[in-house]
């Protein structure tokens, strides 16, 4: 029996690790599955734990309002020292590119516990974009013994860094496992649909507004390198778009980071209620978010995970970043990088709203990131 510890701490890691936790739990004779959350996020992490009914064995509960990278690094590192000393797992699995992942991998290395990296090998090769995520994943890649690469391209990135081929397994991205699970649940359960509509209305957006064919632009943003001017430009472009297109709804579930909210208030004012066709709402729990994404016409975001999910749902994604570590959907033509300059955002959203042909070209459903069976492949490798 091997003792496997999965460590995560933020919303996207939780969404992508939750199906893997569930899969490991199906093999109680082979694995003792331990879950350690750092609590780098609190409310946004707990939303995901609730949906997937995961009760962590360890919770470092490190989040502080307005934390910086030093806070997160120091608190995860010392927190993990105690947890690893007590639990002594045979393997630690971390995910992706957050500070939780890198520091948990480092903490495991300090006790000579081998690390498996889920979502390994994504690269922009620019350590300041996204920042600090590109460095986080490169560092985690150096520490890891096993690399679970979502795509052939991410495998190639690792080979170019001289990672041994036999240590790399191409698995697909576990986010697609999570997405398919949600989409199936939504399709099969009519009462859940009503529940989600109710949850969205309570959050501040009434989806019945879309029943007459009204279009929805779904927006999210949180990248650290966009704080300050980048966010102000994004918000100004969005504000002007809401005025140019009064018949289109713009819905922005806001990340809880205060640095994300400050520029929103600077551009839209203190009171974010009753802004006509602009709806600022609190972060949505995962089911409601996917439900809304399915109903949207365009997704405007700087998120990593949403770049992987939206193409699977056939939704064009305009990415408010200069680089992406996920070029597969870019190559397929369903994702476009638009940066954070005002005119580019304004013009690209306008083009998709005005030009039906351009819209249709970008809205074909593709799924370069997985087939919903990534977790099974990771388990197979662990069983080996
Ligand atoms: C983190 C990750 C980023 C990931 C993002 C996903 C790092 C350095 N950053 O960025 O890679 O893409 O999560 O969302 O690892 N907050 C709350 N409640 C929450 C979550 C956040 O109040 O549930 C607020 C707190 O004030 C917190 C702040 O947001 O201090 C920033 O959280 P932090 O995890 O440091 O950064 P993110 O921008 O969320
Ligand atoms: N998401 C969510 N509720 C929201 C916004 C996003 O559940 O209000 C989900 C989304 O479907 C995706 C993940 O959160 O799976 C992306 O998280 P985020 O953009 O915060 O982080 P990133 O992927 O950029 O690291």
């Amino acid at each position: 029996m091997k003792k496997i510890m999965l460590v995560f701490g933020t919303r996207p890691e939780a969404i992508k690790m939750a199906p893997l936790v569930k899969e490991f739990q199906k093999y109680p004779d082979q694995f003792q599955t331990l879950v350690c959350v750092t609590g780098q996020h609190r409310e946004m992490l707990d939303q995901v734990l609730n949906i997937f009914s995961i009760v962590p064995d360890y919770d470092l509960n490190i989040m502080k309002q307005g934390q910086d990278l030093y806070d997160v690094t120091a608190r995860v590192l010392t927190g993990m020292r105690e947890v690893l000393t007590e639990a002594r797992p045979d393997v630690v699995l971390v995910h992706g590119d957050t500070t939780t992942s890198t520091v948990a991998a480092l903490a495991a290395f300090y006790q000579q516990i081998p690390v498996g990296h889920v979502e390994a090998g994504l690269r922009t090769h620019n350590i300041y974009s996204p920042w600090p995520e590109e460095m986080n994943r490169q560092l985690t890649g150096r520490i890891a013994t096993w690399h679970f690469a979502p795509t052939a391209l991410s495998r190639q990135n690792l080979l170019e860094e001289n990672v041994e081929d036999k240590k790399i397994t191409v698995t697909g991205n576990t986010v697609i496992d999570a997405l398919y699970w949600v989409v199936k649940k939504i399709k099969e359960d009519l009462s859940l649909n009503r529940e989600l509509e109710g949850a969205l209305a309570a959050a501040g957006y009434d989806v019945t507004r879309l029943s007459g064919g009204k279009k929805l632009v779904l927006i999210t943003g949180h990248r650290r390198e966009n704080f300050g001017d980048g966010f102000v430009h994004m918000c100004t472009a969005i504000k002007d778009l809401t005025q140019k297109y009064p018949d289109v709804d713009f819905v922005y579930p806001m990340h809880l980071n205060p640095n994300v909210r400050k520029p929103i208030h600077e551009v839209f004012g203190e009171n974010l209620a009753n802004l006509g066709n602009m709806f600022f709402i609190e972060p949505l729990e995962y089911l409601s978010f996917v439900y809304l994404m399915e109903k949207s016409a365009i997704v405007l975001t700087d998120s990593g995970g949403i770049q992987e999910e939206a193409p699977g749902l056939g939704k064009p994604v305009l990415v408010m970043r200069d680089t992406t570590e996920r070029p597969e959907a870019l190559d397929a033509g369903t994702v476009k990088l638009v940066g954070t300059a005002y005119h580019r955002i304004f013009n690209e959203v306008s083009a998709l709203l005005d030009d039906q042909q351009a819209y249709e070209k970008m809205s074909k459903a593709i799924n370069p990131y997985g087939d919903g069976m990534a977790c099974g492949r990771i388990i197979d490798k662990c069983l080996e």
Side-chain angles (χ1 to χ4, degrees):
M1 165 99 77
K2 291 282 178 204
K3 211 189 246 192
I4 308 274
M5 178 178 277
L6 296 96
V7 185
F8 50 92
T10 64
R11 170 175 66 192
E13 292 167 270
I15 290 169
K16 291 167 166 182
M17 289 292 249
L20 192 54
V21 171
K22 295 285 167 198
E23 197 67 27
F24 270 114
Q25 288 172 343
K26 290 182 190 161
Y27 297 84
D29 296 336
Q30 283 87 353
F31 302 115
Q32 182 187 351
T33 306
L34 295 173
V35 174
C36 172
V37 295
T38 63
Q40 177 177 336
H41 283 175
R42 191 67 277 165
E43 304 88 322
M44 286 159 54
L45 171 72
D46 292 343
Q47 281 181 328
V48 184
L49 294 175
N50 286 341
I51 284 177
F52 287 92
S53 310
I54 292 173
V55 181
D57 300 280
Y58 298 91
D59 188 340
L60 305 182
N61 197 22
I62 66 140
M63 197 193 85
K64 290 200 297 193
Q65 286 305 324
Q67 63 202 3
D68 66 17
L69 297 174
Y70 298 93
D71 295 321
V72 178
T73 302
R75 288 158 71 84
V76 172
L77 193 62
T78 49
M80 286 309 297
R81 174 177 54 200
E82 317 304 326
V83 169
L84 294 173
T85 304
E86 187 188 311
R88 293 300 313 162
D90 296 300
V91 177
V92 166
L93 293 182
V94 298
H95 182 278
D97 56 18
T98 67
T99 298
T100 278
S101 319
T102 306
V103 178
L106 183 64
F109 170 69
Y110 285 166
Q111 299 198 26
Q112 299 190 9
I113 299 169
V115 170
H117 189 195
V118 181
E119 198 181 88
L122 278 66
R123 295 288 183 269
T124 62
H125 304 289
N126 175 348
I127 61 169
Y128 296 111
S129 178
W131 174 80
E133 289 82 5
E134 175 67 13
M135 182 53 86
N136 280 346
R137 55 187 166 233
Q138 290 194 22
L139 292 172
T140 308
R142 286 293 290 138
I143 295 170
T145 301
W146 297 285
H147 307 259
F148 300 106
T151 67
L153 203 76
S154 40
R155 169 177 171 270
Q156 192 55 37
N157 287 332
L158 291 165
L159 291 174
E160 282 164 19
E161 292 174 10
N162 296 323
V163 176
E164 278 179 89
D165 203 3
K166 64 173 190 228
K167 299 283 172 65
I168 308 170
T169 312
V170 177
T171 59
N173 198 308
T174 58
V175 77
I176 304 299
D177 299 30
L179 182 71
Y180 283 1
W181 178 77
V182 174
V183 168
K184 187 164 176 275
K185 231 171 138 64
I186 292 174
K187 273 214 179 97
E188 285 173 355
D189 187 346
L190 267 182
S191 68
L192 177 65
N193 283 253
R194 301 290 84 78
E195 246 177 69
L196 296 178
E197 281 177 18
L200 283 161
Y205 187 67
D206 175 4
V207 287
T208 60
R209 289 173 61 88
L210 302 171
S211 41
K214 186 188 265 292
K215 284 183 186 163
L216 165 67
V217 178
L218 181 59
I219 306 164
T220 77
H222 71 82
R223 295 250 84 84
R224 268 182 160 74
E225 73 269 23
N226 292 341
F227 289 166
D229 285 352
F231 265 99
V232 171
H233 298 151
M234 280 155 54
C235 291
T236 312
I238 293 163
K239 187 175 186 189
D240 290 354
L241 284 162
T242 61
Q243 280 155 15
K244 182 176 175 194
Y245 297 98
D247 294 334
V248 174
D249 279 355
F250 294 77
V251 181
Y252 188 155
M254 292 176 288
H255 194 286
L256 288 174
N257 194 324
N259 293 304
V260 171
R261 298 201 169 200
K262 194 167 163 272
I264 293 177
H265 286 293
E266 267 171 48
V267 174
F268 286 89
E270 266 321 295
N271 184 1
L272 298 177
N274 304 319
L275 294 175
N277 57 335
M278 177 77 238
F279 299 85
F280 287 105
I281 59 178
E282 291 304 311
L284 292 169
E285 49 85 356
Y286 189 48
L287 296 182
S288 309
F289 187 78
V290 172
Y291 185 76
L292 200 57
M293 196 158 44
E294 273 211 298
K295 296 220 169 297
S296 68
I298 299 170
V299 181
L300 181 62
T301 187
D302 65 10
S303 162
I306 296 171
Q307 280 181 66
E308 295 158 340
E309 293 162 338
L313 300 175
K315 305 299 172 184
V317 189
L318 299 176
V319 178
M320 297 182 286
R321 291 172 47 183
D322 300 321
T323 59
T324 183
E325 58 293 273
R326 296 168 167 90
E328 293 88 350
L330 205 65
D331 295 342
T334 66
V335 163
K336 201 174 206 180
L337 286 181
V338 300
T340 53
Y342 168 91
H343 284 291
R344 189 82 201 282
I345 296 173
F346 187 84
N347 291 339
E348 294 285 358
V349 175
S350 298
L352 281 185
L353 288 172
D354 293 341
D355 181 347
Q356 189 58 24
Q357 255 187 335
Y359 181 81
E360 272 162 23
K361 233 171 122 190
M362 271 191 88
S363 60
K364 51 186 184 286
I366 58 139
N367 219 331
Y369 298 109
D371 56 3
M373 294 193 283
C375 295
R377 292 190 188 98
I378 294 171
I379 303 281
D380 286 348
K381 185 68 189 173
C382 292
L383 283 169
E384 256 178 44

